[in-house]
């Protein structure tokens, strides 16, 4: 996943599925997962959110060291258009 010229490696689908499951199983009541690319470490990480309005705060972190790649609803697994939140 996310195999583009913007990122030096792709995200393994099994890892992605595990992240979705971990978010759904969390006791903190997460509803959304955001995939972030860490440029210095050249790896992806998940960020979990409880509310959709938190996406606008998170898209503000995109900079030279962290880039928001995509956002997903944890339960429907549908992709959210993050451009709406920039």
């Amino acid at each position: 996943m996310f195999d583009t010229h913007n990122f030096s490696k792709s995200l393994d689908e099994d890892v992605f599925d595990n992240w979705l499951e971990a978010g759904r199983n969390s006791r903190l009541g997460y509803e959304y997962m955001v995939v972030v690319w860490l440029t210095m470490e050249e790896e992806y990480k998940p960020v979990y959110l409880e509310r959709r309005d938190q996406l606008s705060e998170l898209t503000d972190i995109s900079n030279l060291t962290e880039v928001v790649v995509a956002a997903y609803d944890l339960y429907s697994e549908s992709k959210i258009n993050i451009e709406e939140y920039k």
Side-chain angles (χ1 to χ4, degrees), residues 3 5 14-15 17 22 34 37-38 48 53 59-61 73 84:
D3 191 16
H5 67 279
D14 289 335
V15 171
D17 290 340
V34 179
W37 173 254
L38 304 173
Y48 300 103
D53 65 328
T59 55
D60 290 342
I61 70 157
D73 181 292
E84 296 175 22

Side-chain angles (χ1 to χ4, degrees), residues 5 13 24 26 28 49 53 80:
H5 67 279
E13 254 185 89
R24 286 190 292 261
S26 173
L28 297 178
L49 304 174
D53 65 328
I80 297 169

Side-chain angles (χ1 to χ4, degrees), residues 14-69:
D14 289 335
V15 171
F16 178 80
D17 290 340
N18 288 337
W19 288 351
L20 287 173
E21 187 175 332
R24 286 190 292 261
N25 292 334
S26 173
R27 294 182 181 185
L28 297 178
Y30 294 125
E31 295 287 327
Y32 304 96
M33 180 184 76
V34 179
V35 177
V36 175
W37 173 254
L38 304 173
T39 55
M40 300 298 280
E41 293 86 354
E42 294 192 345
E43 62 184 35
Y44 297 96
K45 77 170 184 176
V47 175
Y48 300 103
L49 304 174
E50 295 173 2
R51 298 180 326 274
R52 193 176 183 118
D53 65 328
Q54 292 174 300
L55 286 169
S56 60
E57 297 167 21
L58 194 59
T59 55
D60 290 342
I61 70 157
S62 286
N63 54 45
L64 295 177
T65 60
E66 293 186 346
V67 178
V68 173
V69 178

